[in-house]
């Protein structure tokens, strides 16, 4: 599936600007009056309708490369045990400030804030739906298709708002009253599910021609499965332990139904894959360098020279380019999580493994992490402190080290062929959702529903792609151990770990009052010594109040019907 190409569009309510396409061609519109279309005139042209709905796809860029909520790539995983941000100064070091000093978060000083931007997107989508109903001169089938596309986008925006806050304001149509109450979290998840279900019912299985890359039935079912999984997780794990707000939480008795809903929605995507719509790519490493992978359910495409990002400059090793930022690096906790090639667990207590820790590891290790001895861009990586260019430096020894503070660098999603990083930047694609994630959703939901055979089959498919043996799931504890492991390594640096720990209500266990680590590697005779080092230098904290982020104070002031989430 080809990803949708983004264009720069001037955003105004029901105002569509002429867009210069990447090909250099322009769009010619009859403008009457000169500065603004009337509502009715916009809807007379299907080209205008297309431009309006395509502009709403910009929301996906907010979350590309895991940059939400801080605004830096991989910032979400840097809130977890997967990545360490290297900077100790404001700006580049904001992630560290958040994990070390969460008390700085308040309703008037939010780091994890999507409220205003999210409701801006919702307003524009609801304007589209209103205009579509009032003015569009289209056949009912085409109207239904546009509605399905718009409701997918609205569901996606609400998905992020509810992940953050639990209880938010539901607006299913244009709202002219600025004062609106929060709805209960269970109602919010059901509203999101209804939008994705409608989209799944009315979107096509494939997009062709000019529509190629826009949302499809498979993407809708994938997001529907993810929505129900989140709702089921809250129903199972929250139990009103962390917040007594009357509107947060999902009734525990609904978990079975919601897990079943997630399993059923994911099963539709698996059926579509059996029909040839999706597949797991054979080479895990190449998956992230392909532009049009059949593993992708929905992709954001970038294209040089006009639509680019800076992932390579942000994470590449310093020898790649002068000016490399090295914003974040993998932790020892992540490196150690990858299995051996035969499926056995890696352990530093095993003398053979500890003596040469980077040999005979599973394929995802080599595709995800650059380590001492890696072959990269026609050189052998040297991450020992003796290498002054890209060797290990202790965290906080310099404010902006721009080198590894853990002994590792990111490999996943870097473009090994990009040799002109500063001038041409980067144009790797970002998969909003891919088939492997759907299989992991299906495995978790099926196992939680008591279908261990189905859970085993989906996990087997994910592990089989990287030649790892199957895990025969026979109990729920075994299921969750396998699921957490697979999601950590399969989805590393794809922005999922932080939200998994929150929905499982494990963040206060894994991320609170703890420190993460790296490996300081030094030459010793013909080999190396591997010293575990503290890459944090102070404890990280995750307050239980963070399971529900506050409503911004400005919204409380402006909306007289709005109440603050309890605990804030």
């Amino acid at each position: 599936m080809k990803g949708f190409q983004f264009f720069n569009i001037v955003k105004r309510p029901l105002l569509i600007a002429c867009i210069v396409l990447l090909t250099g061609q322009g769009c010619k519109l009859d403008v009457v009056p000169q500065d603004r279309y009337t509502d009715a005139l916009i809807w007379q042209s299907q080209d205008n309708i297309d431009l309006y709905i395509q502009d709403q796809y910009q929301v996906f860029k907010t979350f590309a490369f895991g940059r939400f909520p801080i605004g830096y790539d991989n910032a979400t995983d840097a809130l977890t045990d997967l990545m360490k941000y290297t900077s100790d100064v404001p700006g580049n070091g904001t992630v560290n400030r958040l994990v070390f000093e969460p008390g700085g978060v308040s309703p008037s000083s939010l780091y994890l804030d999507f409220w205003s931007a999210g409701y801006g997107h919702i307003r524009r989508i609801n304007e589209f739906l209103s205009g579509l109903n009032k003015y569009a001169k289209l056949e009912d089938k085409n109207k239904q298709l546009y509605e399905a596309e718009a409701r997918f986008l609205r569901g996606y925006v609400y998905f992020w708002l509810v992940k953050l806050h639990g209880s938010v304001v539901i607006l299913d149509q244009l709202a002219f009253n600025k004062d609106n109450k929060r709805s209960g979290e269970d109602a919010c998840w059901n509203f999101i599910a209804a939008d994705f279900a409608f989209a799944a019912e009315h979107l096509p299985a494939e997009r062709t021609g000019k529509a190629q890359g826009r949302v499809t039935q498979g993407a809708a079912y994938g997001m529907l499965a993810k929505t129900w999984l989140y709702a089921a997780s809250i129903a199972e794990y929250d139990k009103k332990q962390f917040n007594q707000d009357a509107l947060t939480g999902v009734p525990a008795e609904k978990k079975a139904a919601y897990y079943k809903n997630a399993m059923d929605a994911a099963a539709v995507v698996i059926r579509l894959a059996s029909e040839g719509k999706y597949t797991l790519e054979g080479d895990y490493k190449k998956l992230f360098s392909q532009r049009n992978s059949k593993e992708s359910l929905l992709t954001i495409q970038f294209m040089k020279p006009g639509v680019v990002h800076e992932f390579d400059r942000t994470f590449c090793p310093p020898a790649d380019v002068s000016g490399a930022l090295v914003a974040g690096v993998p932790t020892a906790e992540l490196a150690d999580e990858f299995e051996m090639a035969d499926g056995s667990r890696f352990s530093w207590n095993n003398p053979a493994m500890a003596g040469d820790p980077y040999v005979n590891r599973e394929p995802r290790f080599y595709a995800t992490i650059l380590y001492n001895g890696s072959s990269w861009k026609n050189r052998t990586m040297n991450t020992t402190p003796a290498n002054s260019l890209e060797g290990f430096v202790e965290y906080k020894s310099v404010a902006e080290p721009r080198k590894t503070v853990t002994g590792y660098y990111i490999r996943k999603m870097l473009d090994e062929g990009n040799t002109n990083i500063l001038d041409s930047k980067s144009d790797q694609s970002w998969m909003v959702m891919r088939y492997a994630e759907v299989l992991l959703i299906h495995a978790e939901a099926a196992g939680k529903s008591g279908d261990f055979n189905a859970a085993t089959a989906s996990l087997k498919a994910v592990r089989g792609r990287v030649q790892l043996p199957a895990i025969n799931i026979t109990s729920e504890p075994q299921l969750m151990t396998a699921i957490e492991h697979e999601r950590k390594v399969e989805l590393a640096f794809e922005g999922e770990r932080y939200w998994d720990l929150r929905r499982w209500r494990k963040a206060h266990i894994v991320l609170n009052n703890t420190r993460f680590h790296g490996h300081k590697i030094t030459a010793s005779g013909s080999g190396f010594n591997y010293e575990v080092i503290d890459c944090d230098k102070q404890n990280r904290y995750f307050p239980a109040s963070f399971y529900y982020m506050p409503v911004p104070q400005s919204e409380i002031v402006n909306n007289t019907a709005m109440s603050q989430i309890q605990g804030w």
Side-chain angles (χ1 to χ4, degrees):
M1 176 191 302
K2 292 183 179 179
F4 180 73
Q5 179 63 61
F6 290 98
F7 306 109
N8 294 318
I9 301 179
V10 177
K11 297 183 179 73
R12 294 289 185 273
L14 293 177
L15 171 63
I16 300 175
C18 180
I19 302 169
V20 179
L21 303 179
L22 290 178
T23 58
Q25 296 176 332
C27 59
K28 183 177 181 181
L29 303 174
D30 296 325
V31 183
V32 181
Q34 293 296 312
D35 64 340
R36 177 176 292 270
Y37 292 113
T38 65
D39 286 352
L41 186 56
I42 287 176
W43 294 98
Q44 288 178 12
S45 165
Q46 188 162 345
D47 286 341
N48 288 350
I49 298 172
D50 269 335
L51 291 176
Y52 193 104
I53 195 64
Q54 288 172 19
D55 185 28
Q56 308 318 309
Y57 279 68
Q58 295 279 353
V59 69
F60 295 119
K61 295 178 74 174
T62 302
F63 309 100
F65 298 102
R67 67 172 54 106
F68 183 82
I70 310 299
Y72 294 86
D73 290 342
N74 274 328
T76 307
D77 277 343
L79 297 173
T80 77
D81 50 353
L82 302 190
M83 171 176 280
K84 171 64 184 177
Y85 252 48
T86 63
S87 174
D88 190 41
V89 300
N92 292 339
T94 298
V95 173
N96 288 323
R97 297 280 65 77
L98 181 58
V99 298
F100 295 145
E101 302 164 7
V105 175
S106 71
S108 58
S109 180
L110 279 175
Y111 287 93
L112 288 78
D113 185 16
F114 182 55
W115 191 281
S116 178
Y119 279 101
H121 287 293
I122 290 165
R123 174 182 57 79
R124 289 189 291 273
I125 293 167
N126 283 342
E127 283 173 346
F128 176 86
L129 289 168
S130 176
L132 182 71
N133 180 59
K134 288 181 180 178
Y135 302 115
K137 306 299 183 183
L138 299 171
E139 294 182 359
D140 288 345
K141 184 177 180 180
N142 286 341
K143 272 191 177 183
Q144 207 169 55
L145 176 59
Y146 281 117
E147 181 181 354
E149 191 169 15
R151 290 183 65 175
F152 180 101
L153 292 162
R154 187 175 67 183
Y156 187 80
V157 173
Y158 266 114
F159 179 77
W160 279 95
L161 284 167
V162 177
K163 280 204 299 184
L164 280 167
H165 304 283
S167 165
V168 300
V169 176
I170 293 177
L171 300 175
D172 63 351
Q173 56 189 341
L174 282 178
F176 299 101
N177 179 9
K178 69 179 182 67
D179 297 325
N180 298 278
K181 296 181 180 180
R182 289 189 285 120
S183 295
E185 183 173 2
D186 187 36
C188 291
W189 288 119
N190 276 271
F191 178 78
I192 296 166
D195 269 355
F196 285 135
F198 184 90
E201 182 180 358
H202 298 292
L203 287 171
E206 290 184 288
R207 297 278 204 164
T208 58
K210 292 189 297 183
Q212 197 165 30
R214 286 159 71 170
V215 293
T216 62
Q217 183 184 69
Y221 274 114
M223 284 304 303
L224 180 60
K226 195 169 185 175
T227 298
W228 285 126
L229 183 69
Y230 269 75
S233 298
I234 304 304
E236 177 170 9
Y237 296 111
D238 185 70
K239 302 175 183 177
K240 301 297 289 185
Q241 301 173 82
F242 310 104
N243 189 285
Q244 296 304 309
D245 190 292
L247 296 175
T248 62
V250 175
E253 62 269 19
K254 295 191 176 184
K255 72 173 185 179
Y258 289 177
Y259 278 128
K260 179 66 162 56
N261 290 346
M263 179 178 68
D264 291 345
V268 177
V269 183
I270 294 172
R271 176 179 59 78
L272 291 170
S274 72
E275 297 169 357
K277 301 294 189 301
Y278 308 106
T279 189
L280 293 175
E281 296 287 354
D283 188 328
Y284 182 83
K285 182 170 68 174
K286 290 183 179 178
L287 166 64
F288 302 99
S289 60
Q290 292 182 353
R291 186 162 292 278
N292 299 303
S293 171
K294 286 200 73 173
E295 187 163 331
S296 172
L297 276 69
L298 179 62
T299 291
I300 300 173
Q301 292 281 23
F302 294 83
M303 187 178 296
K304 295 178 181 178
V307 185
V308 293
H309 53 82
E310 295 203 29
F311 190 89
D312 287 284
R313 185 193 177 200
T314 304
F315 295 107
C316 71
D320 282 15
V321 61
S322 175
L325 299 177
V326 194
V329 290
T331 62
E333 280 77 8
L334 176 60
D336 293 350
E337 187 73 20
F338 290 92
E339 298 168 49
M340 304 301 289
D342 64 1
S344 58
R345 297 292 301 198
F346 172 82
S347 173
W348 287 100
N349 294 323
N350 182 312
M353 294 179 186
D356 207 348
Y358 307 133
V359 299
N360 298 321
R361 303 293 288 273
E362 62 135 306
R364 290 177 295 193
F365 174 81
Y366 301 108
T368 304
I369 293 176
L370 291 171
Y371 54 90
N372 188 61
S374 288
S375 177
W376 177 251
K377 292 191 175 180
N378 299 315
R379 69 182 188 275
T380 299
M381 295 288 299
N382 180 352
T383 66
T384 69
N387 186 308
S388 61
L389 182 58
E390 56 190 7
F392 170 85
V393 62
E394 198 166 332
Y395 176 61
K396 284 193 175 183
S397 62
V398 290
E400 287 276 18
R402 298 199 173 187
K403 292 197 291 185
T404 181
V405 297
T406 64
Y408 301 104
Y409 291 94
I410 286 180
R411 166 66 180 89
K412 188 175 182 178
M413 288 183 282
L414 287 182
D415 181 358
E416 193 167 3
N418 190 349
T419 58
N420 190 21
I421 293 171
L422 291 183
D423 291 336
S424 63
K425 303 190 187 312
S426 305
D427 66 351
Q428 297 94 305
S429 302
W430 170 258
M431 285 179 280
V432 177
M433 175 171 272
R434 58 188 179 92
Y435 184 47
E437 183 187 355
V438 175
L439 287 169
L440 292 174
I441 291 171
H442 181 260
E444 184 176 349
K448 288 289 191 177
S449 300
D451 192 342
F452 294 137
N453 289 335
T456 295
S458 288
L459 279 172
K460 180 180 179 180
V462 175
R463 292 173 59 80
R465 185 249 296 277
V466 288
Q467 299 83 52
L468 288 175
I471 299 173
N472 185 32
I473 302 298
T474 58
S475 69
E476 193 170 306
Q478 182 193 28
L479 167 80
M480 292 311 297
T481 297
I483 288 293
E484 183 168 359
H485 166 75
E486 287 300 321
R487 290 185 68 89
K488 281 176 72 173
V489 296
E490 175 71 29
L491 304 176
F493 309 139
E494 296 180 49
E496 296 295 328
R497 174 70 171 161
Y498 182 71
W499 307 106
D500 283 343
L501 291 173
R502 287 172 96 253
R503 69 181 174 88
W504 291 327
R505 295 304 191 249
K506 290 185 67 171
H508 69 288
I509 299 170
V510 177
L511 305 178
N512 190 53
N513 199 27
T514 191
R515 302 182 184 192
F516 299 125
H517 303 88
H519 290 128
K520 181 179 179 181
I521 305 167
T522 53
S524 176
S526 59
F528 296 94
N529 285 329
Y530 302 88
E531 177 188 355
V532 178
I533 53 94
D534 174 0
C535 68
D536 279 334
K537 304 299 183 184
Q538 64 187 101
N539 286 355
R540 296 184 180 217
Y541 296 101
F542 182 94
S545 59
F546 270 35
Y547 285 123
Y548 292 106
M549 299 307 295
V551 176
Q553 187 61 33
S554 58
E555 183 67 15
I556 301 294
V557 171
N558 294 331
N559 182 350
T560 60
M562 177 66 68
S563 60
Q564 183 57 268
I565 292 175
Q566 189 171 325
W568 292 96

